């Protein structure tokens, strides 16, 4: 696995249809393609194809909520334990946290967070922070989101070297 993409938890539509980043206003799939991370346009229904390109996708917390305001501290703690086990098992080359808030919680960070490669590692893997692509995220423009996803694509291509098959 080249990149493990980590979301915070499933939204209403994702839970309803059983696919990641499925909200009508979510730009995740468009960003994956336009950034060059995946070679063709795909949608939430195609999330099972991500391993074809070396990607995995998971959520920190499995419980569906319409927003993150009802997530409990014990759910974050349990999710981090589970995520650590997944990363140790799958050994991704990069762990990409999809959302600044998610990164803040996992690494107990305060203050401004820059998108992109972080100094932190997660179970030995480099950590990337991507903006939350939800249509509700007004903190970043689409251009800023695309720049962050493109930076990840460039990083992944540079890191492939000996890992390329």
């Amino acid at each position: 696995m080249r990149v493990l993409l980590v979301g915070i938890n499933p939204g209403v539509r994702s839970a309803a249809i059983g696919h990641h980043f499925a909200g009508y206003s979510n730009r995740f799939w468009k960003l994956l393609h336009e950034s060059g991370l995946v070679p063709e346009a795909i949608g939430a229904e195609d999330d099972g194809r991500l391993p074809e390109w070396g990607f995995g996708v998971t959520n920190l917390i499995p419980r569906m909520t319409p927003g993150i305001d009802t997530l409990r501290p014990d759910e974050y703690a349990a999710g981090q334990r589970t995520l650590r086990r997944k990363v140790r098992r799958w050994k991704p080359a990069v762990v990409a946290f999809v959302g600044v808030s998610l990164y803040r919680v996992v690494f107990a960070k305060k203050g401004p967070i820059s998108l992109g490669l972080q100094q932190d590692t997660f179970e030995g893997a480099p950590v990337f922070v991507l903006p939350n692509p939800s249509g509700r995220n007004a903190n970043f423009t689409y251009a800023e989101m695309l720049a962050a996803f493109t930076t990840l694509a460039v990083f992944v291509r540079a890191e492939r070297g000996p890992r390329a098959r």
Side-chain angles (χ1 to χ4, degrees):
M1 179 181 305
R2 291 169 35 210
V3 179
L4 178 60
L5 298 153
V6 183
I8 194 160
N9 76 310
V12 174
R13 184 157 191 272
S14 289
I17 70 167
H19 294 285
H20 294 276
F21 299 101
Y24 291 112
S25 66
N26 199 302
R27 296 156 290 186
F28 179 80
W29 300 101
K30 184 177 179 182
L31 288 161
L32 275 187
H33 175 61
E34 289 186 1
S35 67
L37 283 164
V38 298
E40 60 190 77
I42 59 174
E45 316 76 39
D46 303 308
D47 60 2
R49 293 190 59 203
L50 287 174
E52 292 176 28
W53 300 293
F55 294 94
V57 63
T58 191
N59 288 302
L60 185 71
I61 299 170
R63 182 169 68 92
M64 179 280 298
T65 60
I68 64 169
D69 53 329
T70 62
L71 298 175
R72 301 181 313 268
D74 64 298
E75 291 178 294
Y76 283 101
Q80 286 183 56
R81 287 190 299 273
T82 301
L83 182 60
R84 287 188 182 286
R85 284 193 300 270
K86 288 177 181 179
V87 171
R88 285 193 303 264
R89 178 179 177 209
W90 294 333
K91 297 176 179 44
V94 178
V95 176
F97 290 92
V98 184
V100 172
S101 296
L102 173 59
Y103 173 75
R104 274 196 178 107
V105 168
V106 171
F107 289 92
K109 299 280 185 180
K110 295 184 193 255
I113 304 294
S114 296
L115 299 175
L117 184 64
Q118 305 298 308
Q119 290 184 346
D120 299 298
T121 60
F122 192 84
E123 294 298 320
V127 169
F128 235 83
V129 174
L130 297 170
N132 184 332
S134 168
R136 291 197 228 174
N137 183 1
N139 295 316
F140 298 97
T141 66
Y142 185 80
E144 290 169 323
M145 291 181 189
L146 182 57
F149 276 73
T150 301
T151 300
L152 175 60
V154 169
F155 181 80
V156 168
R157 281 192 294 273
E159 289 294 303
R160 278 188 83 181
R163 297 177 212 265
R165 293 181 199 169

